[in-house]
C-alpha cells in the first residue's frame, strides 16, 4: 500500500508543527512548506484539510501562524491517515470497465483486510510518537529555504 502524496505532505507538516510546539512564533504555511521541501500550493491545500480535521489551527495576521492542536498531536495516527486517505478500496473492482471477477473474487476482501491491518498498526501511534529521537532533532534542524530555492526545487534544479 502506498499513501497519497497529499497524506505524505500532511504527516510531514504535522510532524514539523509538533516538534516546534505551540510557541508565540508560530510558522506560516509558506515557512513550513519550505522547511519540509514541498510546494507552497500543495502545503496550503493540506493545511486546509488538516484544519478541517481539527489537527491544525491557523491564525491569520500579525502574530498568526500554524499550530498543531492537542487532537493533532495526541490523536490516533491511524484515524488521521484513514481520514486523509479516505476509505476507497485498494483495487478498482468497480472502475470502468469493472472487473469481471468482482462478483466472486476473494482478492478484494483480502486486500481490504490487509488495508485495515495497515491502519490498525498505526492506531496506537500519534504524531507525538513520531517526533521522538532521532526524528525530532532532524525536524528541528530543518530551516526554511529562500523562496528562489523553493521555486527552483519544484522545477527540479537548484539556483544559488
Amino acid at each position: 500500500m502506498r499513501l497519497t502524496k497529499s497524506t505524505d505532505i500532511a504527516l510531514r507538516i504535522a510532524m514539523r508543527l509538533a516538534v516546534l510546539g505551540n510557541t508565540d512564533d508560530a510558522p506560516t504555511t509558506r515557512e513550513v512548506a519550505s522547511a519540509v521541501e514541498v510546494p507552497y500550493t500543495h502545503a496550503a491545500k493540506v493545511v486546509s484539510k488538516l484544519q478541517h480535521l481539527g489537527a491544525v489551527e491557523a491564525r491569520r495576521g500579525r502574530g498568526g501562524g500554524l499550530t498543531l492542536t492537542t487532537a493533532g498531536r495526541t490523536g490516533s495516527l491511524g484515524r488521521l491517515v484513514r481520514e486523509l486517505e479516505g476509505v476507497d478500496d485498494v483495487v478498482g473492482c468497480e472502475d470502468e470497465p469493472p472487473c469481471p471477477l468482482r462478483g466472486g473474487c476473494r482478492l478484494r476482501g483480502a486486500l481490504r483486510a490487509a488495508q485495515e491491518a495497515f491502519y490498525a498498526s498505526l492506531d496506537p501511534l500519534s504524531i507525538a510518537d513520531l517526533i521522538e529521537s532521532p526524528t525530532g532533532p532532524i525536524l528541528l534542524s530543518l530551516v526554511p529555504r529562500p523562496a528562489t530555492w523553493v521555486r527552483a526545487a519544484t522545477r527540479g534544479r537548484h539556483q544559488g
Side-chain angles (χ1 to χ4, degrees):
M1 190 173 152
R2 183 178 177 104
L3 298 178
T4 62
K5 188 68 173 169
S6 178
T7 298
D8 172 42
I9 292 170
L11 295 175
R12 285 196 267 163
I13 288 173
M15 291 167 62
R16 173 67 174 180
L17 293 175
V19 78
L20 293 176
N22 293 339
T23 65
D24 291 334
D25 192 25
T28 65
T29 301
R30 191 169 304 280
E31 290 168 341
V32 172
S34 177
V36 297
E37 298 185 9
V38 299
Y40 168 75
T41 54
H42 289 67
K45 290 176 190 174
V46 165
V47 165
S48 177
K49 176 90 178 197
L50 288 170
Q51 273 185 275
H52 178 74
L53 295 174
V56 167
E57 182 181 305
R59 293 177 316 277
R60 292 184 171 269
R62 187 169 174 87
L66 304 175
T67 55
L68 196 63
T69 64
T70 301
R73 176 180 293 282
T74 61
S76 167
L77 182 63
R79 181 196 58 79
L80 180 61
V81 173
R82 279 182 189 89
E83 290 182 17
L84 290 167
E85 286 289 306
V87 291
D88 292 338
D89 285 328
V90 176
V91 292
C93 301
E94 303 299 329
D95 291 351
E96 276 303 318
C99 177
L101 302 175
R102 73 186 177 282
C105 182
R106 296 179 65 188
L107 177 61
R108 185 180 199 176
L111 290 174
R112 185 172 289 137
Q115 181 181 32
E116 185 48 40
F118 170 78
Y119 290 133
S121 70
L122 298 176
D123 282 340
L125 299 173
S126 68
I127 294 293
D129 294 324
L130 299 180
I131 63 167
E132 291 179 7
S133 189
T135 308
I138 294 169
L139 284 163
L140 284 172
S141 73
L142 301 177
V143 292
R145 306 284 188 207
T148 56
W149 186 91
V150 173
R151 283 193 301 273
T154 61
R155 289 191 306 262
R157 59 185 182 273
H158 177 64
Q159 297 173 341

